[in-house]
Amino acid sequence: MTACGKPLEVCMQGLGRLEYRGYDSAGVALAAPGMDLVAVRKKAGRLDNLKADLARSPLPDATVGIGHTRWATNGEPSDTNAHPHVSADGKIAIIHNGIIENASKLKMDLQSEGYVFSSGTDTEVAAKLLGKVANTIIEETGKPDLFEALRRVARMLTGAFTILAVDCRQPDIVVGARHDSPLVVGLGEGENFLGSDVAAFVAYTKHAMEIGQDQAVCISGDQVIVTDFNGNPVKDSKRFTVDWDASAAEKGGWPSFMDKEIHEDPEAVANTLLGRFDDQGDIVLDEVHIGLDVFRQVDKIIVVACGTASYAGMVAKYAIEHWVRIPVEVELAHEFRYRDPILTPRTLVVAISQSGETMDTLMALRHAREQGSRVLAICNTQGASIPRESDAVLYTHAGPEIAVASTKAFVAQIVAAYLLGLYLAQVKGTMYRDEIRHILEQLKDMPQKIQWVLDNQAGNVEQAAKQMVSAHSFLFLGRHVGYPVALEGALKLKEIAYTFTEGFAAGELKHGPIALVDAGEPVVVIVPSARGRNILHNKVISGIEEVKARGAFTIAVAELGDPDVEQYADVVFWRPVCPTLLSPLVDVVPLQLFAMDMAMLKGYDVDKPRNLAKSVTVE
Ligand code: F6R
């Protein structure tokens, strides 16, 4: 991943910053003039295992290096299956993200030629193949050409891959190739870097360059060459400056990244609103390069996303349908493609993704574009694949999110989707300007309301977590915008506290789920405000009464001073008064804290839950 004077140090710090992307094993490979073989070290488990091993027996000095943290797709986590993998002659080492779909066939071919494999990974197949092709080139031309060898191999692979390689015969370069998997270049002075995310090198340089689909790159200390897989030069690679500092991706005194990031919820909302208005207070979405005429004609929105991002989309559906009066469908990205969705040039597909690399979402947006629809990405990561492949992007400015469980990105995604909804209302004239401005003013008040929850409800939440720490399961209920919030609260608890949790629409209770309620069963209920049209409030309160009558222990998220809630709920997490459509921005906060407290009380690593990785770059 780096061609500079201190490759091991750069790799190890980069892996530390990227460990959230995968943490079941880690490894490095180095090359330097005079080495007969690449120097490789790899270890199963967290990065600390590798660090300890390197401290016990250091690797030699080097000029280039590559490093990898793994989330197993192919072969269980072990020292052997960890990356880097080496060529048969040990001269080349590679690291790989993605899944090589024709690996079995290639492996059989290589085995029939006498190649022997020690791991169960597709990556080792690519390593052996690269070694073979590199040697063929030496036979053909009399000199090594790792860049050309990797391009040839890239043309032979199917599936998804980013591959980086070093060769001890060319110890001044690192080469890379990408197809359906991320890769960015860091442009330093006298040193250059490659990473699957800018976080890998942001401590060294904020100047970055995108590598496009089916492109290959060769970096040395003073040069970066980009070509397509056939070797044709690529001259127009997009450059950008990373808009956050390395310190933003550090814990900065917080016990965990998740704790830090929940406390950044207010800032994430404020920053996502920043710079999106002109002097008259109208919304201007500068990064959105879709013409006004196209927006005016949009007659349906389909949100494609996964997990937390899809729940942000579900929240936005309530608001956008209300404001713009066009249907909004929210679809899990991995389901979308396979059901022959109805897409027309007037459909706006909104792809929501924190990482911008979720393969399911990327595939969904490609499908939408193939069908002639416009795609707008709501994304938190500059230069990522999803914004790059979309027609337009609206960045959430939540700053880097490191904890695997998404928190501040969720509130920022809601705000960005709301801005899009209000923009459409402005362009299509479905709302009066005053109305839009009024909502924008209310949105601008939300950071301080979230802050109020953080300042005044955290103790309450911690207390409830202590009380509930041994509970085996939870139910989360909500209606209207409270429904996706219930789903999100449930997801947080599942993924970091490993507790069986079901979130559902409160109205469904009596259609089945109430059978789950037994004495002591904890039920978390998002209660809408009793102000204004209070039908929903009363119905949700009835739901609380019903589960209470069956012995449930109830936790309510409710508006300050709600008298009914005080009467029926065992515990209340209070929300300050705010408009119903904006309430998800505050209601999710105690649920994020609750999941974190539960996980901490159980002694789990809240930032790196088992079996998960931050960016799901495989389908
Ligand atoms: C849950 C979580 C995941 C992600 C999902 C989509 O806390 O983080 O459910 O929301 O994997 O990821 P992005 O937003 O990166 O596309």
Side-chain angles (χ1 to χ4, degrees):
M1 70 131 75
T2 163
C4 70
K6 45 191 180 314
L8 183 60
E9 178 193 317
V10 175
C11 284
M12 291 306 284
Q13 78 76 41
L15 293 183
R17 289 184 192 277
L18 292 186
E19 202 186 6
Y20 63 94
R21 296 178 77 108
Y23 33 86
D24 59 38
S25 49
V28 288
L30 303 173
M35 277 186 187
D36 265 348
L37 303 171
V38 277
V40 176
R41 187 69 53 79
K42 48 191 191 170
K43 278 281 168 228
R46 297 281 168 92
L47 187 59
D48 280 344
N49 290 357
L50 176 66
K51 267 188 205 153
D53 197 67
L54 287 168
R56 267 193 305 272
S57 90
L59 286 172
D61 285 343
T63 41
V64 291
I66 51 177
H68 189 259
T69 56
R70 177 165 186 254
W71 182 79
T73 51
N74 226 295
E76 85 279 359
S78 65
D79 286 1
T80 315
N81 286 340
H83 300 203
H85 286 275
V86 290
S87 56
D89 57 12
K91 296 202 178 295
I92 291 176
I94 76 163
I95 52 176
H96 161 231
N97 284 342
I99 297 180
I100 298 167
E101 284 168 4
N102 59 343
S104 314
K105 163 87 180 64
L106 293 168
K107 187 173 181 175
M108 280 192 303
D109 293 348
L110 288 165
Q111 276 168 332
S112 68
E113 292 171 37
Y115 283 84
V116 178
F117 291 83
S118 54
S119 81
T121 65
D122 51 350
T123 306
E124 193 187 359
V125 177
K128 298 284 187 286
L129 187 61
L130 184 62
K132 178 184 155 183
V133 173
N135 288 341
T136 310
I137 292 174
I138 295 174
E139 279 162 28
E140 282 166 13
T141 65
K143 56 180 179 18
D145 187 347
L146 184 64
F147 195 21
E148 172 56 15
L150 183 61
R151 282 190 299 244
R152 287 191 196 177
V153 167
R155 297 202 296 265
M156 296 160 82
L157 304 179
T158 61
F161 56 85
T162 288
I163 292 176
L164 301 189
V166 289
D167 184 334
C168 62
R169 291 160 294 198
Q170 289 178 279
D172 52 345
I173 57 165
V174 182
V175 299
R178 64 155 294 196
H179 173 79
D180 281 349
S181 193
L183 181 61
V184 250
V185 186
L187 303 164
E189 278 179 25
E191 54 185 13
N192 291 303
F193 312 85
L194 294 169
S196 47
D197 188 322
V198 293
F201 50 71
V202 71
Y204 301 96
T205 179
K206 292 172 92 176
H207 300 293
M209 191 171 91
E210 294 177 2
I211 296 295
Q213 174 74 334
D214 293 338
Q215 291 180 357
V217 57
C218 176
I219 61 168
S220 60
D222 51 15
Q223 235 191 345
V224 176
I225 305 166
V226 184
T227 69
D228 64 17
F229 284 173
N230 293 314
N232 300 308
V234 173
K235 296 272 177 234
D236 55 352
S237 304
K238 192 170 159 215
R239 291 172 182 237
F240 62 96
T241 306
V242 182
D243 65 1
W244 50 272
D245 290 321
S247 61
E250 280 157 16
K251 275 193 207 149
W254 291 92
S256 65
F257 279 110
M258 184 171 183
D259 206 351
K260 174 181 179 239
E261 288 162 9
I262 295 172
H263 285 82
E264 287 170 349
D265 281 345
E267 213 181 317
V269 168
N271 288 347
T272 301
L273 287 169
L274 219 61
R276 256 99 199 219
F277 313 101
D278 65 14
D279 295 345
Q280 280 81 50
D282 286 337
I283 306 174
V284 276
L285 300 180
D286 276 343
E287 319 109 290
V288 175
H289 304 297
I290 292 181
L292 283 182
D293 281 352
V294 176
F295 270 123
R296 272 191 207 104
Q297 285 179 9
V298 168
D299 62 3
K300 184 169 82 172
I301 290 180
I302 304 182
V303 175
V304 290
C306 300
T308 293
S310 76
Y311 300 144
M314 279 173 76
V315 171
K317 170 184 167 75
Y318 290 87
I320 299 178
E321 287 189 342
H322 179 65
W323 294 331
V324 193
R325 309 307 300 154
I326 56 171
V328 179
E329 292 170 16
V330 184
E331 182 101 17
L332 290 171
H334 34 90
E335 286 296 315
F336 173 76
R337 254 193 333 153
Y338 302 102
R339 69 160 177 93
D340 198 11
I342 299 166
L343 291 157
T344 74
R346 297 173 73 157
T347 309
L348 179 67
V349 172
V350 178
I352 307 182
S353 175
Q354 187 287 127
S355 62
E357 298 295 352
T358 300
M359 183 56 82
D360 292 314
T361 310
L362 184 62
M363 290 301 174
L365 80 85
R366 281 188 191 160
H367 179 71
R369 292 193 75 194
E370 275 160 25
Q371 303 297 307
S373 294
R374 295 261 185 353
V375 177
L376 182 144
I378 291 181
C379 184
N380 197 42
T381 313
Q382 288 171 287
S385 306
I386 289 173
R388 251 209 352 266
E389 294 200 22
S390 298
D391 296 288
V393 55
L394 193 53
Y395 280 111
T396 46
H397 296 297
E401 194 179 65
I402 308 293
V404 164
S406 189
T407 53
K408 60 178 178 172
F410 176 72
V411 288
Q413 284 159 352
I414 294 175
V415 172
Y418 277 16
L419 280 172
L420 173 66
L422 292 169
Y423 183 67
L424 274 166
Q426 178 180 296
V427 170
K428 282 172 156 289
T430 53
M431 284 167 87
Y432 293 114
R433 290 223 144 140
D434 287 356
E435 280 179 280
I436 297 177
R437 273 183 211 157
H438 182 57
I439 297 170
L440 290 173
E441 287 313 310
Q442 290 171 325
L443 262 173
K444 287 180 193 162
D445 286 343
M446 293 313 287
Q448 79 191 50
K449 294 190 192 255
I450 300 174
Q451 193 61 49
W452 184 91
V453 175
L454 290 168
D455 293 344
N456 297 286
Q457 298 300 296
N460 211 3
V461 173
E462 197 183 338
Q463 192 56 37
K466 283 187 181 144
Q467 224 174 321
M468 297 278 85
V469 72
S470 335
H472 292 297
S473 65
F474 277 80
L475 302 180
F476 277 61
L477 317 181
R479 286 186 88 124
H480 191 255
V481 285
Y483 167 39
V485 172
L487 294 177
E488 171 60 5
L491 175 61
K492 290 290 91 104
L493 205 54
K494 286 178 217 183
E495 68 173 328
I496 59 165
Y498 315 152
T499 312
F500 274 95
T501 305
E502 173 105 64
F504 51 88
E508 274 296 288
L509 198 57
K510 50 194 168 304
H511 299 288
I514 199 162
L516 290 168
V517 178
D518 203 354
E521 176 68 29
V523 180
V524 180
V525 189
I526 320 296
V527 185
S529 168
R531 290 170 299 113
R533 287 193 308 126
N534 61 2
I535 316 168
L536 277 185
H537 172 266
N538 296 346
K539 288 198 195 309
V540 173
I541 294 291
S542 306
I544 299 185
E545 284 183 72
E546 283 159 21
V547 291
K548 238 189 132 43
R550 284 150 183 94
F553 181 87
T554 54
I555 300 177
V557 180
E559 188 168 278
L560 266 177
D562 185 325
D564 302 315
V565 166
E566 288 209 304
Q567 195 178 335
Y568 295 112
D570 296 300
V571 173
V572 187
F573 302 154
W574 293 113
R575 103 165 63 89
V577 174
C578 68
T580 300
L581 285 175
L582 305 193
S583 60
L585 295 171
V586 278
D587 287 354
V588 75
V589 180
L591 305 185
Q592 295 171 342
L593 291 169
F594 185 66
M596 180 184 74
D597 288 343
M598 289 279 288
M600 275 168 37
L601 289 166
K602 290 180 168 191
Y604 298 146
D605 181 339
V606 296
D607 288 337
K608 297 191 192 94
R610 66 186 179 201
N611 304 339
L612 289 168
K614 183 76 178 157
S615 303
V616 187
T617 52
V618 289
E619 263 187 292

Short mmCIF file of all heavy atoms in Angstrom, two decimals, residues 418-439:
data_model
loop_
_atom_site.label_atom_id
_atom_site.label_comp_id
_atom_site.label_asym_id
_atom_site.label_seq_id
_atom_site.Cartn_x
_atom_site.Cartn_y
_atom_site.Cartn_z
N TYR A 418 -33.77 14.72 3.91
CA TYR A 418 -34.76 15.79 4.13
C TYR A 418 -34.43 16.99 3.25
O TYR A 418 -35.33 17.62 2.68
CB TYR A 418 -34.78 16.20 5.61
CG TYR A 418 -35.64 15.30 6.48
CD1 TYR A 418 -36.04 14.04 6.05
CD2 TYR A 418 -36.06 15.70 7.75
CE1 TYR A 418 -36.82 13.22 6.84
CE2 TYR A 418 -36.85 14.89 8.55
CZ TYR A 418 -37.22 13.64 8.09
OH TYR A 418 -38.00 12.83 8.87
N LEU A 419 -33.15 17.32 3.16
CA LEU A 419 -32.76 18.44 2.30
C LEU A 419 -33.17 18.15 0.86
O LEU A 419 -33.69 19.02 0.16
CB LEU A 419 -31.24 18.67 2.35
CG LEU A 419 -30.72 19.43 3.56
CD1 LEU A 419 -29.19 19.41 3.58
CD2 LEU A 419 -31.21 20.89 3.54
N LEU A 420 -32.96 16.92 0.45
CA LEU A 420 -33.35 16.54 -0.91
C LEU A 420 -34.87 16.69 -1.08
O LEU A 420 -35.34 17.23 -2.08
CB LEU A 420 -32.92 15.10 -1.20
CG LEU A 420 -33.41 14.52 -2.51
CD1 LEU A 420 -32.78 15.24 -3.70
CD2 LEU A 420 -33.10 13.01 -2.60
N GLY A 421 -35.62 16.22 -0.08
CA GLY A 421 -37.08 16.32 -0.14
C GLY A 421 -37.54 17.76 -0.22
O GLY A 421 -38.39 18.13 -1.05
N LEU A 422 -36.95 18.61 0.61
CA LEU A 422 -37.36 20.02 0.62
C LEU A 422 -36.92 20.72 -0.68
O LEU A 422 -37.63 21.60 -1.19
CB LEU A 422 -36.77 20.73 1.84
CG LEU A 422 -37.35 20.25 3.18
CD1 LEU A 422 -36.54 20.79 4.36
CD2 LEU A 422 -38.82 20.68 3.33
N TYR A 423 -35.79 20.28 -1.20
CA TYR A 423 -35.32 20.83 -2.48
C TYR A 423 -36.31 20.48 -3.59
O TYR A 423 -36.70 21.34 -4.40
CB TYR A 423 -33.93 20.27 -2.78
CG TYR A 423 -33.30 20.80 -4.04
CD1 TYR A 423 -32.92 22.13 -4.14
CD2 TYR A 423 -33.05 19.95 -5.12
CE1 TYR A 423 -32.32 22.60 -5.30
CE2 TYR A 423 -32.46 20.42 -6.27
CZ TYR A 423 -32.09 21.75 -6.35
OH TYR A 423 -31.51 22.22 -7.49
N LEU A 424 -36.75 19.23 -3.59
CA LEU A 424 -37.73 18.81 -4.60
C LEU A 424 -39.03 19.59 -4.44
O LEU A 424 -39.65 20.01 -5.42
CB LEU A 424 -38.02 17.31 -4.45
CG LEU A 424 -37.07 16.37 -5.19
CD1 LEU A 424 -37.24 14.94 -4.70
CD2 LEU A 424 -37.35 16.43 -6.70
N ALA A 425 -39.42 19.81 -3.18
CA ALA A 425 -40.65 20.58 -2.93
C ALA A 425 -40.49 22.00 -3.45
O ALA A 425 -41.41 22.59 -4.03
CB ALA A 425 -40.96 20.58 -1.43
N GLN A 426 -39.28 22.56 -3.27
CA GLN A 426 -38.98 23.91 -3.75
C GLN A 426 -39.02 23.95 -5.28
O GLN A 426 -39.65 24.82 -5.88
CB GLN A 426 -37.58 24.27 -3.23
CG GLN A 426 -37.01 25.60 -3.64
CD GLN A 426 -35.60 25.79 -3.02
OE1 GLN A 426 -35.45 25.85 -1.81
NE2 GLN A 426 -34.58 25.88 -3.84
N VAL A 427 -38.38 22.97 -5.91
CA VAL A 427 -38.29 22.95 -7.37
C VAL A 427 -39.64 22.66 -8.00
O VAL A 427 -40.03 23.25 -9.02
CB VAL A 427 -37.25 21.88 -7.80
CG1 VAL A 427 -37.29 21.65 -9.28
CG2 VAL A 427 -35.87 22.30 -7.37
N LYS A 428 -40.38 21.76 -7.39
CA LYS A 428 -41.67 21.37 -7.97
C LYS A 428 -42.81 22.28 -7.51
O LYS A 428 -43.93 22.16 -7.98
CB LYS A 428 -42.00 19.93 -7.55
CG LYS A 428 -41.27 18.85 -8.32
CD LYS A 428 -41.55 17.51 -7.64
CE LYS A 428 -41.41 16.33 -8.55
NZ LYS A 428 -42.43 16.16 -9.55
N GLY A 429 -42.50 23.13 -6.53
CA GLY A 429 -43.51 24.06 -6.03
C GLY A 429 -44.65 23.37 -5.28
O GLY A 429 -45.78 23.84 -5.27
N THR A 430 -44.32 22.27 -4.59
CA THR A 430 -45.38 21.58 -3.83
C THR A 430 -45.56 22.15 -2.43
O THR A 430 -46.46 21.76 -1.70
CB THR A 430 -45.09 20.07 -3.72
OG1 THR A 430 -43.77 19.90 -3.19
CG2 THR A 430 -45.20 19.39 -5.07
N MET A 431 -44.66 23.07 -2.05
CA MET A 431 -44.82 23.73 -0.75
C MET A 431 -44.53 25.22 -0.94
O MET A 431 -43.77 25.60 -1.83
CB MET A 431 -43.78 23.19 0.25
CG MET A 431 -44.11 21.84 0.80
SD MET A 431 -42.66 21.17 1.64
CE MET A 431 -42.84 21.85 3.26
N TYR A 432 -45.10 26.04 -0.07
CA TYR A 432 -44.77 27.46 -0.08
C TYR A 432 -43.35 27.64 0.45
O TYR A 432 -42.91 26.90 1.33
CB TYR A 432 -45.75 28.25 0.78
CG TYR A 432 -47.15 28.26 0.22
CD1 TYR A 432 -48.19 27.62 0.89
CD2 TYR A 432 -47.41 28.92 -0.98
CE1 TYR A 432 -49.48 27.64 0.37
CE2 TYR A 432 -48.70 28.93 -1.51
CZ TYR A 432 -49.73 28.29 -0.82
OH TYR A 432 -50.98 28.28 -1.34
N ARG A 433 -42.68 28.68 -0.09
CA ARG A 433 -41.31 28.96 0.36
C ARG A 433 -41.24 29.11 1.87
O ARG A 433 -40.31 28.65 2.52
CB ARG A 433 -40.81 30.25 -0.28
CG ARG A 433 -40.57 30.07 -1.75
CD ARG A 433 -39.30 30.74 -2.12
NE ARG A 433 -38.70 29.92 -3.15
CZ ARG A 433 -38.08 30.42 -4.21
NH1 ARG A 433 -37.97 31.69 -4.36
NH2 ARG A 433 -37.55 29.62 -5.09
N ASP A 434 -42.26 29.80 2.44
CA ASP A 434 -42.27 30.05 3.89
C ASP A 434 -42.31 28.75 4.68
O ASP A 434 -41.67 28.61 5.72
CB ASP A 434 -43.50 30.88 4.28
CG ASP A 434 -43.35 32.31 3.84
OD1 ASP A 434 -42.26 32.63 3.31
OD2 ASP A 434 -44.30 33.09 4.02
N GLU A 435 -43.10 27.83 4.14
CA GLU A 435 -43.20 26.54 4.83
C GLU A 435 -41.84 25.84 4.84
O GLU A 435 -41.41 25.29 5.84
CB GLU A 435 -44.17 25.61 4.06
CG GLU A 435 -45.64 25.84 4.27
CD GLU A 435 -46.40 24.84 3.40
OE1 GLU A 435 -46.54 25.09 2.18
OE2 GLU A 435 -46.82 23.80 3.93
N ILE A 436 -41.20 25.87 3.66
CA ILE A 436 -39.89 25.21 3.55
C ILE A 436 -38.91 25.86 4.52
O ILE A 436 -38.21 25.19 5.28
CB ILE A 436 -39.35 25.27 2.10
CG1 ILE A 436 -40.28 24.52 1.17
CG2 ILE A 436 -37.93 24.74 2.02
CD1 ILE A 436 -39.90 24.55 -0.31
N ARG A 437 -38.92 27.19 4.52
CA ARG A 437 -37.99 27.90 5.40
C ARG A 437 -38.24 27.58 6.87
O ARG A 437 -37.31 27.44 7.66
CB ARG A 437 -38.08 29.40 5.18
CG ARG A 437 -37.18 29.76 4.06
CD ARG A 437 -37.12 31.20 3.80
NE ARG A 437 -36.87 31.31 2.37
CZ ARG A 437 -37.16 32.35 1.64
NH1 ARG A 437 -37.73 33.40 2.19
NH2 ARG A 437 -36.88 32.36 0.38
N HIS A 438 -39.52 27.46 7.20
CA HIS A 438 -39.87 27.17 8.58
C HIS A 438 -39.29 25.80 8.99
O HIS A 438 -38.70 25.66 10.07
CB HIS A 438 -41.41 27.18 8.71
CG HIS A 438 -41.89 26.94 10.10
ND1 HIS A 438 -41.51 27.73 11.17
CD2 HIS A 438 -42.71 25.98 10.61
CE1 HIS A 438 -42.06 27.27 12.27
NE2 HIS A 438 -42.79 26.20 11.96
N ILE A 439 -39.43 24.82 8.10
CA ILE A 439 -38.89 23.49 8.43
C ILE A 439 -37.37 23.54 8.53
O ILE A 439 -36.76 22.93 9.41
CB ILE A 439 -39.33 22.44 7.39
CG1 ILE A 439 -40.85 22.33 7.42
CG2 ILE A 439 -38.69 21.08 7.66
CD1 ILE A 439 -41.44 21.52 6.28
#
